[in-house]
Structure formats: C-alpha cells, structure tokens
Amino acid sequence: MQRYFINNEWIKNNKIYITGDDYHHIRNVMRMRINQEALFCDEDEQVYLASLEEYLSHEAVFIIKEKVNHQPELIYEVTIAHGLVRRDKQEEVIRRITELGAKRYIPVIMERSIIKVRDKEDHKRERMLKIIKEASEQSHRTKMMELSNIVSFNELLNISTQYDLLMFAYEESGRNGNSTFKKALEEFVGQKILVLVGPEGGFNPQEVEVLLQHNFKSIGLGPRILRTETAPLYIMSAISYELELGEQNDS
Amino acid sequence: MQRYFINNEWIKNNKIYITGDDYHHIRNVMRMRINQEALFCDEDEQVYLASLEEYLSHEAVFIIKEKVNHQPELIYEVTIAHGLVRRDKQEEVIRRITELGAKRYIPVIMERSIIKVRDKEDHKRERMLKIIKEASEQSHRTKMMELSNIVSFNELLNISTQYDLLMFAYEESGRNGNSTFKKALEEFVGQKILVLVGPEGGFNPQEVEVLLQHNFKSIGLGPRILRTETAPLYIMSAISYELELGEQNDS
C-alpha cells in the first residue's frame, strides 16, 4: 500500500487534503480509485489509514478510517492457504505465522498431499487453537489468527474470489529469478491477500493451470528451494518487511 | 546493493562502461567508492556482480567479478549471530536459515542466555553439521552454511569489525515502527552483513549500549514480538526478498 508523508495542517475534520506532487502521484501515477486506501504519516509520526473519497480539481480528499500507529496487527488481512501436510509441520507453520501476523490459515487438500483426512479432526483442531492462542499472546497480538476447516482445492478457488490479491508460491518461478512477489506487494492497494503454498510434493501441472486461470500470480521466493513449512514464514516475513517497515514515499 | 539495467554493448572485455543517468546516479547520488560492488542486468537478463574500477570524466568503469544469474547462493554473506538458546531452538534456526541462504551461524554467550555451556559440545556440533548438510542439499545450495564455535559477547565485537553492515534485532525498535532495517538494506552497497538476535530474555541495557558504540544499528522487525527462534527467519527472508527478488533500478 502506498504511504505519504503529510503536514499536520492537511488534516481537517477527519479528512486529509492532498495537493501538489502527491496529488499528482495519487491521481496520475497510482491512478487510485474512489475507496482505495493509502497510509498517511503526519509530522508526529502518527500513521492514518484513509480511503479516497473524491478528487477535486487540484486536490485528493481522503477520509480517515483509523490510526494505525503502535498497534500490533498487520493492517492487511493475509491468509495462508497450505496444501495439507503432516500435523507436526502444520503446527509449526501455524505457530510461526500467528507470530508473524497472519489473519487466517486454510489447509487445502491437494493432489500431491500425502496426508489423508481422517477422523478425530476435532481433537487436532483443539490443539491447534491452543497453539494459536499461545502464539498470539506471546507476540502481543490483539486478534487471534483464524483457523479454517480443511477445504478442497475447488472450495479454495471459490473462497479466493473474496481477495484483492491472489498468489501461489511456485518453485519454478523462483528458479527463474521471478520478482512478481515484490512487485505485487509494492503496487498493492487492496486489503486482503491470499497466498497458497503447496504440500511437500508441490503443485501438479493441472493445479498450476487452474490457479493461473483464476487470477493467481505465480511467485518465486528466491533461488533456493524452500520446504513447505518454511515458505509460509518467508511470505509472512516479506509482507511485514515490505508493508510494515517501509516509510518511504515512492513518488 | 544497487542494481542497474544495461545494454549488452556496454560490456567489453569483462568490463562494464556506464554513462548518462546511471553514471550520474553512481557517482553523485550513491557516491560509490572504488571497489564497491553493484549488480548489472543486461538485455538477456544475465546479471553480473561487478566492482567499480575507476571514474573517467563521463563514465564509470566496472570490472565484472561474476555472473550471478541462476545460482542458488545469496550474493551477500549474511551471518546470523544468536544469543545462546536451548538446543532444539538452535537446531530449528540452523535448519531454516540454511535453507534461507545464510553464510554463517555464530552462537553467542549473552547476559540473559539461560543456557550454560557444558561439555560434549563436540557431539552437539556433529549433529548440527548434519542438519546443515541436509538442509543445504534439500534447498539446492552449492555451499554449506558455516557453523561457528560458541563465542563470548566480546569475541563477537571483535569479529564484527570484518563486516560491512552490523545490526541487532531490538524489540523496542519494533514497537516504535522503526524502518532502519529496510533503509539499511535498500542502501546497502557492501558484501558482508551481520545481524545479532538476542536470547529468550533479549538484550540487557548494557549490551545495547555497547552494540550501539560498536556501530550496530538497532532494527525493528515489525510491531509484533517475535520469538528468538523466529527473528532469524524473518531477517533471512527479508534479506532475500529485498536483495534477491528486486529488479528495479531506483535511480
């Protein structure tokens, strides 16, 4: 999401009035649409999440939705969908991505999942919810990560229509020095991100084809091969790094 | 490290000749010194690591050191120094940062380390070297991560003089929305990076003071509190994301 530095006096009655270069950048470079969101940092380092209300002839008017400073939650809703893997790996991923600020975890039955869904899922779920609660507390989060029930690949495709940005971590993309992930985050202007990570065996070619047809971007996570339980941590870390640590206005 | 796109004909006899805007950027904006390195991507997407040999009146001349495309190693040498923690946590970190491309792992005895150094270190070391070997192979690396012997805090300070960029992951920096980490990576022009992560109890105030005196930058890893075994994964992921996935020339 785009960030802009503003002067305190640009804020009036819960609205932010942007003129000059930033107005140009918002309207002509980013081409922001009404209701799109951006971050604004005032002179006191207070950050506001605001959405575009209207363009005037030389002004963009944003309405403040919330102050985001000093709050521990990622301001984006990031969902990790994960091909079904062994329970110990799943628990490891759940613990770490909770720390790293994920909104939701969705286990997905995929062609190459070597784990079969069996009974006693309730028992496992209890245990995972406990892990999430502990990790949330330890990382000082104010919200618990949501744990979805296991879904089929087709159910995931249905769910995916609710998201603003869809990606899947594809090994072949990494080998070729793919920078799609970084570009997608740098240009991101929505709220909800879904990233799918394959099981140990990865994606089969048909799944890749279907994902591309459903507007999932194929992203690489660098030139090394990451394990299925490491890739979600890379993804969450990079999202935090790009969207939470940045403070520079690219205009 | 800075990246520049170049035309194929700018490369002659293993040297790269830069004129125009990029020359200006290199000389006057980045103020690169002789022997500093940058990356150059030609029209065939071949990436070269090259170091500055000399400035002519309107040209910067780089000498190519290596082709870096399609190779799995991080082109930077990243060392994770880590306050001594329990062996299971240490093994977890070693496994993951090997996958993520780290050059070296240094366990450091710190004030708040609750683990005491005992005998039979050789046995533990054997086991850790085996983990590194496995993780290197699985991630398709061409080099093994190096495992340092346990060092004291003062020994670490001595070692640190060999590095181009020194950082430590300090909880207090994260709370205040610190963007030092991102800025340091974006502006990085050296080769060797050292990042120190504290043990479970974190840093004590005196250690923080000494680190700052020794040119360590205090970095935050976002607004949530990360466990001591998660922070190194965040750091390695972010370094890969920033330095391996980017392809844009910021000039």
Coordinates of all heavy atoms in Angstrom, one line a residue, chain B residues 162-245:
Chain B
Q162 N 34.9 -7.2 10.8 CA 35.1 -7.7 9.5 C 33.9 -7.4 8.5 O 33.9 -7.8 7.4 CB 35.3 -9.2 9.5 CG 36.5 -9.6 10.3 CD 36.4 -11.1 10.7 OE1 35.6 -11.9 10.1 NE2 37.2 -11.6 11.7
Y163 N 32.8 -6.9 9.1 CA 31.6 -6.8 8.3 C 31.3 -5.4 7.8 O 31.8 -4.4 8.4 CB 30.4 -7.2 9.2 CG 30.4 -8.7 9.4 CD1 31.2 -9.3 10.4 CD2 29.7 -9.6 8.6 CE1 31.2 -10.7 10.5 CE2 29.7 -11.0 8.7 CZ 30.5 -11.5 9.7 OH 30.5 -12.9 9.8
D164 N 30.5 -5.3 6.7 CA 30.1 -4.0 6.1 C 28.9 -3.4 6.8 O 28.6 -2.2 6.6 CB 29.9 -4.2 4.6 CG 31.1 -4.8 3.9 OD1 32.2 -4.4 4.2 OD2 30.9 -5.7 3.1
L165 N 28.0 -4.2 7.3 CA 26.8 -3.8 7.9 C 26.5 -4.6 9.2 O 26.5 -5.8 9.1 CB 25.6 -3.9 6.9 CG 24.2 -3.6 7.4 CD1 24.1 -2.1 7.8 CD2 23.2 -3.8 6.2
L166 N 26.3 -3.9 10.3 CA 26.1 -4.5 11.6 C 24.7 -4.1 12.1 O 24.4 -2.9 12.1 CB 27.1 -4.1 12.6 CG 28.6 -4.4 12.2 CD1 29.5 -3.7 13.2 CD2 28.8 -5.9 12.3
M167 N 23.9 -5.1 12.5 CA 22.6 -4.8 13.0 C 22.3 -5.7 14.2 O 22.8 -6.8 14.3 CB 21.5 -5.0 11.9 CG 21.7 -4.1 10.7 SD 20.4 -4.3 9.4 CE 21.0 -5.7 8.6
F168 N 21.4 -5.3 15.1 CA 20.8 -6.2 16.1 C 19.3 -5.9 16.2 O 18.8 -4.8 16.1 CB 21.5 -6.0 17.4 CG 21.3 -4.7 18.2 CD1 20.5 -4.7 19.3 CD2 21.9 -3.6 17.8 CE1 20.3 -3.5 20.0 CE2 21.8 -2.4 18.4 CZ 21.0 -2.3 19.6
A169 N 18.6 -7.0 16.3 CA 17.1 -7.0 16.3 C 16.6 -6.7 17.7 O 16.6 -7.6 18.6 CB 16.6 -8.3 15.8
Y170 N 16.2 -5.5 17.9 CA 15.9 -5.0 19.2 C 14.4 -4.7 19.3 O 13.8 -3.9 18.6 CB 16.7 -3.7 19.5 CG 16.6 -3.3 21.0 CD1 16.7 -4.2 22.0 CD2 16.5 -1.9 21.3 CE1 16.6 -3.8 23.3 CE2 16.5 -1.5 22.6 CZ 16.5 -2.4 23.6 OH 16.5 -2.0 24.9
E171 N 13.8 -5.5 20.2 CA 12.3 -5.4 20.5 C 11.8 -4.0 20.5 O 10.8 -3.7 20.0 CB 12.1 -6.1 21.8 CG 10.8 -6.7 22.0 CD 10.8 -7.6 23.3 OE1 11.4 -8.7 23.2 OE2 10.2 -7.2 24.3
E172 N 12.5 -3.1 21.3 CA 12.0 -1.8 21.5 C 11.9 -1.0 20.2 O 11.1 -0.1 20.0 CB 12.9 -1.0 22.5 CG 12.9 -1.6 23.9 CD 11.5 -1.6 24.5 OE1 10.7 -0.7 24.3 OE2 11.2 -2.6 25.2
S173 N 12.8 -1.3 19.3 CA 12.8 -0.7 18.0 C 11.6 -1.0 17.2 O 11.0 -0.2 16.5 CB 14.1 -1.0 17.2 OG 15.2 -0.5 17.7
G174 N 11.2 -2.3 17.3 CA 10.0 -2.7 16.6 C 8.7 -2.0 17.0 O 7.9 -1.6 16.2
R175 N 8.6 -1.8 18.3 CA 7.4 -1.2 18.9 C 7.2 0.2 18.3 O 6.1 0.7 18.1 CB 7.5 -1.1 20.4 CG 7.3 -2.4 21.1 CD 6.5 -2.2 22.4 NE 6.6 -3.5 23.1 CZ 7.5 -3.8 24.0 NH1 8.4 -2.9 24.3 NH2 7.5 -4.9 24.6
N176 N 8.3 0.9 18.0 CA 8.2 2.2 17.6 C 8.2 2.4 16.1 O 8.4 3.5 15.5 CB 9.4 3.0 18.2 CG 9.4 3.0 19.7 OD1 8.3 3.0 20.3 ND2 10.6 2.9 20.2
G177 N 7.8 1.3 15.4 CA 7.7 1.4 13.9 C 8.9 1.8 13.2 O 8.9 2.5 12.2
N178 N 10.0 1.2 13.7 CA 11.4 1.6 13.1 C 11.6 1.0 11.7 O 11.3 -0.2 11.5 CB 12.3 0.9 14.1 CG 13.8 1.1 13.8 OD1 14.2 0.8 12.7 ND2 14.5 1.6 14.7
S179 N 12.0 1.8 10.8 CA 12.2 1.3 9.4 C 13.7 1.2 9.1 O 14.1 1.2 7.9 CB 11.5 2.3 8.5 OG 12.1 3.6 8.6
T180 N 14.6 1.2 10.1 CA 16.0 1.2 9.9 C 16.4 0.0 9.1 O 17.3 0.1 8.2 CB 16.8 1.2 11.2 OG1 16.3 2.2 12.0 CG2 18.2 1.3 11.0
F181 N 15.8 -1.2 9.3 CA 16.2 -2.4 8.6 C 16.0 -2.3 7.1 O 16.9 -2.5 6.3 CB 15.4 -3.6 9.2 CG 15.8 -4.9 8.7 CD1 17.1 -5.3 8.3 CD2 14.8 -5.9 8.5 CE1 17.4 -6.6 7.9 CE2 15.1 -7.2 8.1 CZ 16.4 -7.5 7.8
K182 N 14.9 -1.8 6.7 CA 14.5 -1.7 5.3 C 15.5 -0.6 4.6 O 16.0 -0.9 3.6 CB 13.1 -1.3 5.1 CG 12.5 -1.4 3.7 CD 11.0 -1.5 3.7 CE 10.5 -2.1 2.4 NZ 10.5 -1.1 1.4
K183 N 15.6 0.5 5.3 CA 16.5 1.5 4.7 C 17.9 1.0 4.6 O 18.6 1.2 3.6 CB 16.5 2.8 5.6 CG 15.4 3.7 5.4 CD 15.6 5.1 6.0 CE 14.5 5.3 7.0 NZ 14.7 6.5 7.8
A184 N 18.4 0.3 5.6 CA 19.8 -0.2 5.6 C 20.0 -1.2 4.4 O 21.0 -1.1 3.7 CB 20.2 -0.9 6.9
L185 N 19.0 -2.0 4.2 CA 19.1 -3.0 3.0 C 19.0 -2.3 1.7 O 19.7 -2.6 0.8 CB 18.1 -4.1 3.1 CG 18.2 -5.1 4.3 CD1 17.2 -6.2 4.2 CD2 19.6 -5.7 4.3
E186 N 18.1 -1.3 1.6 CA 17.9 -0.6 0.3 C 19.2 0.1 -0.1 O 19.5 0.2 -1.2 CB 16.7 0.3 0.4 CG 15.4 -0.4 0.4 CD 14.2 0.5 0.7 OE1 14.4 1.7 1.1 OE2 13.0 0.1 0.5
E187 N 19.9 0.6 1.0 CA 21.0 1.4 0.7 C 22.4 0.7 0.7 O 23.4 1.2 0.5 CB 21.1 2.6 1.7 CG 20.0 3.6 1.5 CD 19.8 4.5 2.7 OE1 20.7 4.5 3.6 OE2 18.8 5.3 2.8
F188 N 22.2 -0.6 0.9 CA 23.5 -1.4 1.2 C 24.3 -1.6 -0.1 O 23.8 -1.9 -1.1 CB 23.0 -2.8 1.7 CG 24.2 -3.7 2.0 CD1 25.2 -3.3 2.9 CD2 24.4 -4.9 1.4 CE1 26.2 -4.2 3.2 CE2 25.5 -5.8 1.6 CZ 26.4 -5.4 2.6
V189 N 25.6 -1.3 0.1 CA 26.5 -1.4 -1.1 C 27.7 -2.3 -0.8 O 28.6 -2.4 -1.6 CB 27.0 -0.1 -1.5 CG1 25.9 0.7 -2.2 CG2 27.6 0.7 -0.4
G190 N 27.7 -3.0 0.4 CA 28.8 -3.8 0.7 C 28.6 -5.3 0.4 O 27.8 -5.6 -0.5
Q191 N 29.3 -6.2 1.1 CA 29.2 -7.6 0.8 C 28.8 -8.4 2.1 O 28.1 -9.4 1.9 CB 30.6 -8.0 0.3 CG 30.7 -9.5 0.0 CD 29.8 -10.0 -1.1 OE1 29.4 -9.2 -1.9 NE2 29.5 -11.3 -1.1
K192 N 29.2 -8.0 3.2 CA 29.1 -8.8 4.4 C 28.2 -8.2 5.5 O 28.4 -7.1 5.9 CB 30.5 -9.1 5.0 CG 31.4 -9.9 4.1 CD 32.8 -10.0 4.7 CE 32.8 -11.1 5.7 NZ 34.2 -11.4 6.2
I193 N 27.1 -8.9 5.8 CA 26.1 -8.4 6.8 C 26.1 -9.3 8.0 O 26.2 -10.5 7.9 CB 24.7 -8.5 6.2 CG1 24.7 -7.6 4.9 CG2 23.6 -8.0 7.2 CD1 23.3 -7.7 4.1
L194 N 26.1 -8.7 9.2 CA 26.0 -9.4 10.5 C 24.8 -8.9 11.2 O 24.6 -7.7 11.4 CB 27.2 -9.2 11.3 CG 27.2 -9.8 12.7 CD1 27.2 -11.3 12.7 CD2 28.4 -9.3 13.6
V195 N 23.9 -9.9 11.6 CA 22.7 -9.5 12.4 C 22.7 -10.3 13.7 O 22.8 -11.6 13.6 CB 21.4 -9.7 11.7 CG1 20.3 -9.0 12.4 CG2 21.5 -9.2 10.2
L196 N 22.6 -9.6 14.8 CA 22.6 -10.3 16.1 C 21.2 -10.4 16.6 O 20.5 -9.3 16.6 CB 23.5 -9.6 17.1 CG 23.4 -10.0 18.6 CD1 23.9 -11.5 18.7 CD2 24.3 -9.1 19.4
V197 N 20.7 -11.6 17.0 CA 19.4 -11.8 17.6 C 19.7 -12.2 19.1 O 20.5 -13.1 19.3 CB 18.6 -12.9 16.9 CG1 17.3 -13.2 17.6 CG2 18.4 -12.4 15.4
G198 N 18.9 -11.6 20.0 CA 19.1 -11.9 21.4 C 18.6 -13.3 21.8 O 17.8 -13.9 21.0
P199 N 18.9 -13.8 23.0 CA 18.3 -15.0 23.5 C 16.9 -14.7 24.0 O 16.4 -13.6 23.8 CB 19.2 -15.4 24.7 CG 19.7 -14.0 25.2 CD 19.8 -13.1 24.0
E200 N 16.2 -15.7 24.6 CA 14.8 -15.5 25.0 C 14.6 -14.3 25.8 O 13.6 -13.6 25.6 CB 14.3 -16.7 25.9 CG 14.0 -18.0 25.1 CD 15.2 -18.9 25.0 OE1 16.4 -18.4 25.3 OE2 15.1 -20.1 24.7
G201 N 15.5 -13.9 26.7 CA 15.3 -12.8 27.6 C 15.7 -11.5 26.9 O 15.5 -10.4 27.5
G202 N 16.2 -11.5 25.7 CA 16.5 -10.3 25.0 C 17.9 -9.7 25.4 O 18.7 -10.4 26.0
F203 N 18.1 -8.5 25.1 CA 19.3 -7.8 25.4 C 19.2 -7.1 26.8 O 18.2 -6.7 27.1 CB 19.6 -6.7 24.4 CG 19.8 -7.3 23.0 CD1 18.7 -7.4 22.1 CD2 21.1 -7.6 22.5 CE1 18.9 -7.9 20.8 CE2 21.2 -8.1 21.2 CZ 20.1 -8.3 20.4
N204 N 20.3 -7.1 27.5 CA 20.3 -6.2 28.7 C 20.8 -4.8 28.3 O 21.4 -4.6 27.2 CB 21.0 -6.8 29.9 CG 22.5 -6.6 29.9 OD1 23.1 -5.9 29.0 ND2 23.2 -7.2 30.8
P205 N 20.4 -3.8 29.0 CA 20.7 -2.4 28.6 C 22.2 -2.1 28.3 O 22.5 -1.4 27.4 CB 20.2 -1.6 29.8 CG 19.2 -2.4 30.5 CD 19.7 -3.8 30.3
Q206 N 23.0 -2.8 29.1 CA 24.5 -2.5 28.9 C 24.9 -3.1 27.5 O 25.7 -2.5 26.8 CB 25.3 -3.2 30.0 CG 26.6 -2.5 30.2 CD 27.5 -3.4 31.1 OE1 27.0 -4.2 31.9 NE2 28.8 -3.2 30.9
E207 N 24.4 -4.3 27.2 CA 24.7 -4.8 25.8 C 24.3 -3.9 24.7 O 25.0 -3.7 23.7 CB 24.1 -6.2 25.7 CG 24.8 -7.3 26.5 CD 24.0 -8.6 26.5 OE1 22.7 -8.6 26.3 OE2 24.6 -9.7 26.8
V208 N 23.1 -3.4 24.9 CA 22.5 -2.5 23.9 C 23.5 -1.3 23.7 O 23.8 -0.9 22.6 CB 21.1 -2.0 24.2 CG1 20.7 -0.8 23.3 CG2 20.1 -3.1 24.2
E209 N 23.9 -0.7 24.8 CA 24.8 0.4 24.8 C 26.1 0.1 24.0 O 26.6 0.8 23.2 CB 25.1 0.9 26.2 CG 25.5 2.3 26.3 CD 25.7 2.6 27.8 OE1 24.8 2.3 28.6 OE2 26.7 3.2 28.2
V210 N 26.7 -1.0 24.4 CA 28.0 -1.4 23.8 C 27.8 -1.7 22.3 O 28.6 -1.3 21.5 CB 28.5 -2.7 24.5 CG1 29.7 -3.2 23.7 CG2 28.9 -2.4 25.9
L211 N 26.7 -2.3 21.9 CA 26.4 -2.6 20.5 C 26.3 -1.3 19.7 O 26.9 -1.1 18.6 CB 25.1 -3.4 20.3 CG 25.2 -4.9 20.7 CD1 23.9 -5.5 20.8 CD2 26.1 -5.7 19.8
L212 N 25.6 -0.3 20.2 CA 25.5 1.0 19.6 C 26.9 1.7 19.4 O 27.2 2.2 18.4 CB 24.5 1.9 20.3 CG 23.0 1.4 20.3 CD1 22.2 2.3 21.2 CD2 22.5 1.4 18.8
Q213 N 27.7 1.5 20.5 CA 29.0 2.1 20.4 C 29.9 1.4 19.3 O 30.8 2.0 18.8 CB 29.7 1.9 21.7 CG 29.3 2.9 22.8 CD 29.7 2.5 24.2 OE1 30.4 1.5 24.4 NE2 29.3 3.2 25.2
H214 N 29.6 0.2 19.0 CA 30.3 -0.6 18.0 C 29.7 -0.6 16.6 O 29.9 -1.5 15.8 CB 30.6 -2.0 18.5 CG 31.6 -2.1 19.5 ND1 31.4 -1.7 20.9 CD2 32.9 -2.5 19.5 CE1 32.5 -1.9 21.5 NE2 33.5 -2.4 20.7
N215 N 28.9 0.5 16.4 CA 28.3 0.7 15.1 C 27.2 -0.3 14.6 O 26.9 -0.5 13.5 CB 29.4 0.7 14.0 CG 30.3 1.9 14.2 OD1 29.9 3.0 14.5 ND2 31.6 1.6 14.1
F216 N 26.7 -1.0 15.6 CA 25.5 -1.9 15.3 C 24.3 -1.0 15.2 O 24.0 -0.1 16.1 CB 25.3 -2.9 16.4 CG 26.2 -4.1 16.3 CD1 27.5 -4.1 16.7 CD2 25.6 -5.4 15.9 CE1 28.3 -5.2 16.6 CE2 26.4 -6.5 15.8 CZ 27.8 -6.4 16.2
K217 N 23.5 -1.2 14.2 CA 22.2 -0.4 14.1 C 21.1 -1.2 14.8 O 21.0 -2.4 14.6 CB 21.8 -0.3 12.6 CG 22.6 0.6 11.7 CD 22.1 0.5 10.3 CE 23.1 1.1 9.3 NZ 23.0 2.5 9.2
S218 N 20.3 -0.5 15.5 CA 19.2 -1.2 16.2 C 18.0 -1.3 15.2 O 17.5 -0.2 14.8 CB 18.8 -0.3 17.4 OG 17.6 -0.7 17.9
I219 N 17.6 -2.5 14.9 CA 16.5 -2.6 13.9 C 15.3 -3.2 14.6 O 15.3 -4.0 15.5 CB 16.9 -3.5 12.7 CG1 17.3 -4.9 13.1 CG2 18.1 -2.8 12.0 CD1 17.5 -5.8 11.9
G220 N 14.1 -2.9 14.0 CA 12.8 -3.5 14.4 C 12.4 -4.4 13.3 O 12.6 -4.2 12.2
L221 N 11.6 -5.5 13.8 CA 11.1 -6.4 12.8 C 9.6 -6.4 12.8 O 8.9 -7.4 12.8 CB 11.6 -7.8 13.1 CG 13.1 -8.0 13.2 CD1 13.5 -9.4 13.6 CD2 13.8 -7.6 11.9
G222 N 9.0 -5.2 12.8 CA 7.6 -5.1 12.8 C 7.0 -4.9 14.3 O 7.8 -5.1 15.2
P223 N 5.7 -4.7 14.4 CA 5.2 -4.3 15.7 C 4.8 -5.5 16.6 O 4.5 -5.3 17.7 CB 3.9 -3.6 15.3 CG 3.5 -4.2 13.9 CD 4.8 -4.5 13.3
R224 N 5.0 -6.7 16.1 CA 4.7 -7.8 17.0 C 6.0 -8.3 17.6 O 7.1 -8.1 17.0 CB 4.0 -9.0 16.2 CG 2.6 -8.6 15.7 CD 2.0 -9.6 14.7 NE 2.9 -9.5 13.5 CZ 2.8 -8.5 12.6 NH1 2.0 -7.5 12.8 NH2 3.6 -8.5 11.5
I225 N 5.9 -9.0 18.7 CA 7.1 -9.5 19.3 C 7.4 -10.9 18.8 O 6.5 -11.8 18.8 CB 6.8 -9.7 20.9 CG1 6.3 -8.3 21.4 CG2 8.1 -10.2 21.6 CD1 7.3 -7.2 21.2
L226 N 8.5 -11.1 18.2 CA 8.9 -12.4 17.6 C 9.7 -13.2 18.6 O 10.6 -12.6 19.4 CB 9.7 -12.2 16.3 CG 9.0 -11.4 15.2 CD1 9.9 -11.4 14.0 CD2 7.7 -12.0 14.9
R227 N 9.6 -14.5 18.6 CA 10.4 -15.3 19.5 C 11.8 -15.3 19.0 O 12.1 -15.1 17.8 CB 9.9 -16.8 19.4 CG 8.6 -17.0 20.0 CD 8.4 -18.5 20.1 NE 7.1 -18.8 20.5 CZ 6.7 -20.0 21.0 NH1 7.6 -20.9 21.3 NH2 5.4 -20.2 21.3
T228 N 12.7 -15.7 19.8 CA 14.1 -15.7 19.5 C 14.4 -16.6 18.3 O 15.4 -16.5 17.6 CB 15.0 -16.0 20.7 OG1 16.4 -16.1 20.3 CG2 14.7 -17.4 21.3
E229 N 13.6 -17.7 18.1 CA 13.9 -18.6 17.0 C 13.1 -18.2 15.8 O 13.4 -18.8 14.7 CB 13.5 -20.1 17.4 CG 12.1 -20.3 17.7 CD 11.6 -20.1 19.1 OE1 12.2 -19.2 19.8 OE2 10.7 -20.9 19.5
T230 N 12.2 -17.2 15.8 CA 11.5 -16.7 14.6 C 12.3 -15.5 14.0 O 12.3 -15.4 12.8 CB 10.1 -16.3 15.0 OG1 9.4 -17.4 15.7 CG2 9.3 -16.0 13.7
A231 N 12.9 -14.7 14.8 CA 13.5 -13.5 14.3 C 14.6 -13.8 13.3 O 14.6 -13.1 12.2 CB 14.1 -12.7 15.5
P232 N 15.4 -14.8 13.4 CA 16.4 -15.1 12.4 C 15.8 -15.4 11.0 O 16.3 -15.1 10.0 CB 17.2 -16.3 12.9 CG 17.1 -16.2 14.4 CD 15.7 -15.7 14.6
L233 N 14.6 -16.1 11.1 CA 13.9 -16.5 9.8 C 13.4 -15.2 9.1 O 13.4 -15.1 7.9 CB 12.8 -17.5 10.1 CG 13.1 -18.6 11.1 CD1 11.9 -19.5 11.2 CD2 14.4 -19.3 10.7
Y234 N 12.8 -14.3 10.0 CA 12.3 -13.0 9.4 C 13.5 -12.3 8.7 O 13.3 -11.8 7.6 CB 11.7 -12.2 10.6 CG 11.1 -10.9 10.2 CD1 9.7 -10.7 10.3 CD2 11.8 -9.9 9.7 CE1 9.1 -9.5 10.0 CE2 11.2 -8.7 9.3 CZ 9.8 -8.5 9.5 OH 9.2 -7.3 9.2
I235 N 14.6 -12.2 9.4 CA 15.7 -11.5 8.9 C 16.2 -12.1 7.6 O 16.4 -11.3 6.6 CB 16.9 -11.5 9.9 CG1 16.5 -10.6 11.2 CG2 18.2 -11.0 9.3 CD1 17.3 -10.9 12.4
M236 N 16.4 -13.4 7.5 CA 16.9 -14.0 6.3 C 15.9 -13.9 5.2 O 16.2 -13.6 4.0 CB 17.2 -15.5 6.5 CG 18.4 -15.7 7.4 SD 20.0 -14.9 6.9 CE 20.1 -15.5 5.2
S237 N 14.6 -14.0 5.5 CA 13.5 -13.9 4.5 C 13.5 -12.5 3.9 O 13.4 -12.3 2.7 CB 12.2 -14.2 5.1 OG 12.1 -15.5 5.6
A238 N 13.6 -11.5 4.8 CA 13.5 -10.1 4.3 C 14.8 -9.8 3.5 O 14.7 -9.1 2.5 CB 13.5 -9.2 5.5
I239 N 15.9 -10.3 3.9 CA 17.1 -10.0 3.1 C 17.0 -10.6 1.7 O 17.3 -10.0 0.7 CB 18.4 -10.5 3.8 CG1 18.7 -9.6 5.0 CG2 19.6 -10.6 2.9 CD1 19.8 -10.1 5.9
S240 N 16.5 -11.9 1.6 CA 16.3 -12.5 0.3 C 15.3 -11.7 -0.5 O 15.5 -11.4 -1.7 CB 15.8 -13.9 0.5 OG 15.3 -14.4 -0.7
Y241 N 14.2 -11.4 0.2 CA 13.1 -10.6 -0.5 C 13.7 -9.3 -1.1 O 13.5 -9.0 -2.3 CB 12.0 -10.3 0.5 CG 10.9 -9.4 -0.1 CD1 9.9 -9.9 -0.9 CD2 10.9 -8.1 0.3 CE1 8.9 -9.0 -1.3 CE2 10.0 -7.2 -0.2 CZ 9.0 -7.7 -1.0 OH 8.0 -6.8 -1.4
E242 N 14.4 -8.5 -0.3 CA 14.9 -7.2 -0.7 C 16.0 -7.3 -1.7 O 16.0 -6.6 -2.7 CB 15.4 -6.4 0.5 CG 16.0 -5.0 0.2 CD 14.9 -4.1 -0.3 OE1 13.8 -4.0 0.3 OE2 15.1 -3.4 -1.4
L243 N 16.9 -8.3 -1.5 CA 18.1 -8.2 -2.4 C 18.0 -9.3 -3.5 O 18.8 -9.1 -4.5 CB 19.3 -8.5 -1.5 CG 19.5 -7.4 -0.4 CD1 20.7 -7.8 0.5 CD2 19.7 -6.0 -0.9
E244 N 17.2 -10.3 -3.4 CA 17.1 -11.3 -4.5 C 15.9 -11.2 -5.4 O 15.9 -11.6 -6.5 CB 17.2 -12.7 -3.9 CG 18.5 -13.0 -3.2 CD 18.6 -14.5 -2.8 OE1 17.7 -15.0 -2.2 OE2 19.6 -15.1 -3.1
L245 N 14.8 -10.7 -4.8 CA 13.6 -10.6 -5.7 C 13.4 -9.3 -6.4 O 12.7 -9.1 -7.3 CB 12.3 -10.8 -4.8 CG 12.2 -12.1 -4.1 CD1 10.8 -12.4 -3.6 CD2 12.7 -13.3 -4.9

